[in-house]
Amino acid sequence: MPLGLPSRYDVASVRGLYTGLSDGWTYLNANAAPQISERVAAGVARSFRMSAAVAPQEDSTGAHSANRTPGQLEGARNYGAARMAIADLVGSKAGRVVLGPSLSALYQTLARSLRPMLRHNSSVVLSKLDPPALYTALAEVDADVRWAQPDLGTGELPAFQYAELVDGSTRLVSFSAAHELLGTVTPTAEILEAIRSRSRAWTLVDVSALAPYRPLEFDELGADILGIDIGLLGGPQIAALVFRDEAMFRRIESYSPAKTSHTAEKLETPVSTGLAGGVGPLVDHLAALAGGEAGSRRVRVHKSMDALSDYLSELTADLYTYLGTLPAVHILGVTGEAAAGASDDRLPRLTFAVQGVPAETVHRRLIDNGLVTTLASHTPLLTEMGADEIGGAVTVALGPFNTHHDVEQLTRVVASLA
C-alpha cells in the first residue's frame, strides 16, 4: 500500500484480531476493560514463559558488539523493547520513556523527584478533570497547589482560566487530554499556549483516554511530558511517562540512590518483565488495524490510528445522536441548557442516565440483552455534575471492533426503558 494513500478500515477484519469477541457479548466498556487482542495475549504468554531463559547469543563481532551482554536473559530485553514500542506509539525516542507499574505510581515518583525544582514560593497547577488517582498523586508536593476547574455543564476544561492560575512561580502544570468517562476533549493547544505566555513551567499531559482513538504526535501535542496507561489501550498493566528531552532528567532527583545516571532509569519503579514483553505486541497490533505493510512501525501506527479515528467518528455521531433523541435520556455534559455550548469534539464515549430509572437497573437491562457497559464511577466531578442526584449513570465506551449495529442495539435497549 503506497504511503500517500489513506488506509481503509475493515472492521470485520479487525474483529477477527480479538478472539474474546466470539463469546456472544457486545462489549461497550473500553474505558474500564478494553478487549485484549490475540497478538497481545500471545506476546505476554511468551514473555512470561521465556523471561528467565538466556537470550540467543549473537555474533560477537561487528559495530554493535560492545552493546551486547553475554548471558543476558530474555526478560532484560523486554524493557528496551517496551520503551521502543511506546516511542513508536507517541512519536518520540526510547531513551525518553520511563516505565512504571501504573500511571498513579509514576506520578507519585515524579512528584518526589521534582523537589529540586519546587523551591520556596513555587506553585503547581492541577486539574479536577483528571482521574482522582492522578491528581491526588501530585497534590502533596511541597508547593502551592492551584486547581483548574472543569465546566460543570459541559464537563470540559476551559483554557481561559490558565491565564490566571499560571504565573512566574509555576513549576508544573498537569491535566488530561480527554475525560475517560464523559468523552470530552481538552483544548490542549490553547492551554499550553496560555501556560507558555505566563511561565516556563513543565507541562504534564495524560493522553490515556485519547490514545485508543487518535494518532499521537509528541511534537504536535507540545507538552513536556506525556503520561500514558498502556492497559487502557488493551495492553498489559504498565504505564509510561515520555519526556520531551533527555536533558530534563538532569533537573530531577533519582527515585533510587543506586541510580545516579541522568537517564530514564532514575525514575523507573519495578515492572514485571513478563508484562513488559506485551507492550511491543500491543503496538504491533495497533499498527495492523489499518496500517498496511509498508513503512516503519511508527508510520504504520500513525496511518492505522488515522483510519480508526475516521471510522469511529461516524460511530460517535450515531452514538450521541441516537441516545440524545430519547426524551428520558440525560447525557452528562451534553443534555440540558447548561451544556448548550458544549464542543462537538468528543471521543466515542459518553455517560448517561435514564430519568426515573436507577443506573443499576439500566446496567442490568443492558447486561440481560448482551451489552456490556460500566456503572459510572462516583468521582467528585460526576457528583458535582449531578450524577448521584439522578440515581447514578452508565458509561459507554466504544472500541476498535464496535459496529453501527452495536450502537443501534444499545439504543433499542435503552429506549425500552426510556
Side-chain angles (χ1 to χ4, degrees):
M1 178 184 296
L3 296 182
L5 296 179
S7 299
R8 176 176 176 271
Y9 194 83
D10 183 356
V11 69
S13 297
V14 169
R15 289 180 65 83
L17 303 176
Y18 296 87
T19 56
L21 299 181
S22 61
D23 61 5
W25 292 94
T26 298
Y27 290 97
L28 302 170
N29 62 337
N31 62 297
Q35 289 296 295
I36 308 297
S37 71
E38 181 59 27
R39 189 191 292 258
V40 173
V44 171
R46 182 195 179 280
S47 62
F48 269 108
R49 184 173 63 250
M50 299 299 295
S51 287
V54 175
Q57 298 298 297
E58 302 178 33
D59 187 354
S60 61
T61 61
H64 302 287
S65 60
N67 295 324
R68 295 171 182 152
T69 303
Q72 185 180 42
L73 299 182
E74 283 273 6
R77 294 187 173 188
N78 290 344
Y79 296 124
R83 295 186 190 100
M84 181 61 71
I86 293 170
D88 285 342
L89 178 64
V90 304
S92 186
K93 296 182 179 180
R96 302 170 184 175
V97 177
V98 178
L99 301 177
S102 68
L103 207 52
S104 58
L106 283 170
Y107 275 34
Q108 289 173 347
T109 301
L110 178 64
R112 291 194 295 268
S113 299
L114 287 175
R115 284 181 293 188
M117 297 173 55
L118 300 177
R119 299 185 177 89
H120 183 60
N121 291 332
S122 59
S123 66
V124 299
V125 178
L126 308 180
S127 163
K128 286 294 181 70
L129 184 78
D130 295 8
L134 297 189
Y135 64 64
T136 301
L138 293 171
E140 296 183 1
V141 295
D142 187 17
D144 176 29
V145 179
R146 303 169 184 174
W147 294 98
Q149 301 290 345
D151 186 297
L152 297 183
T154 64
E156 299 169 3
L157 189 65
F160 68 84
Q161 61 188 312
Y162 284 87
E164 300 176 359
L165 294 169
V166 176
D167 58 29
S169 71
T170 307
R171 298 292 178 263
L172 177 72
V173 181
S174 175
F175 61 91
S176 294
H179 193 275
E180 58 182 344
L181 304 180
L182 301 174
T184 55
V185 177
T186 302
T188 300
E190 294 180 42
I191 292 175
L192 293 178
E193 182 179 358
I195 294 169
R196 293 196 186 98
S197 68
R198 305 276 295 173
S199 170
R200 298 176 63 184
W202 283 6
T203 51
L204 168 60
V205 179
D206 171 25
V207 295
S208 301
L210 195 67
Y213 303 115
R214 299 183 182 183
L216 299 176
E217 187 63 57
F218 195 107
D219 292 339
E220 290 182 6
L221 284 167
D224 295 300
I225 310 171
L226 296 185
I228 185 167
D229 187 328
I230 300 302
L232 294 180
L233 279 80
Q237 299 302 309
I238 284 181
L241 297 178
V242 186
F243 283 69
R244 171 180 44 79
D245 192 330
E246 292 178 55
M248 296 172 68
F249 295 127
R250 294 183 175 275
R251 298 189 59 190
I252 56 181
E253 289 184 352
S254 175
Y255 173 73
S256 169
K259 298 178 180 179
T260 57
S261 61
H262 298 304
T263 65
E265 291 186 355
K266 72 188 301 184
L267 279 177
E268 289 187 344
T269 50
V271 172
S272 161
T273 59
L275 293 179
V279 180
L282 168 69
V283 179
D284 290 337
H285 163 73
L286 295 176
L289 293 178
E293 299 179 356
S296 66
R297 180 168 60 181
R298 171 59 188 164
V299 168
R300 289 181 285 114
V301 167
H302 199 284
K303 184 184 296 184
S304 185
M305 297 307 292
D306 257 334
L308 172 62
S309 179
D310 289 343
Y311 170 74
L312 286 178
S313 66
E314 299 178 11
L315 265 64
T316 303
D318 286 350
L319 178 65
Y320 279 87
T321 300
Y322 293 171
L323 287 182
T325 57
L326 300 178
V329 170
H330 178 88
I331 302 175
L332 272 68
V334 175
T335 304
E337 294 182 3
S343 170
D344 293 331
D345 186 14
R346 307 184 78 88
L347 301 180
R349 296 183 176 185
L350 57 76
T351 295
F352 74 96
V354 178
Q355 184 177 354
V357 184
E360 290 82 359
T361 302
V362 177
H363 183 255
R364 183 64 194 181
R365 175 68 67 86
L366 293 170
I367 288 290
D368 289 343
N369 284 270
L371 297 164
V372 183
T373 58
T374 56
L375 288 169
S377 305
H378 294 279
T379 65
L381 174 57
L382 264 61
T383 296
E384 291 181 18
M385 293 181 72
D388 295 347
E389 296 177 6
I390 55 179
V394 172
T395 298
V396 172
L398 304 185
F401 47 80
N402 285 121
T403 65
H404 288 279
H405 177 268
D406 297 339
V407 176
E408 292 168 357
Q409 183 186 4
L410 169 71
T411 306
R412 284 194 296 270
V413 176
V414 175
S416 70
L417 287 164

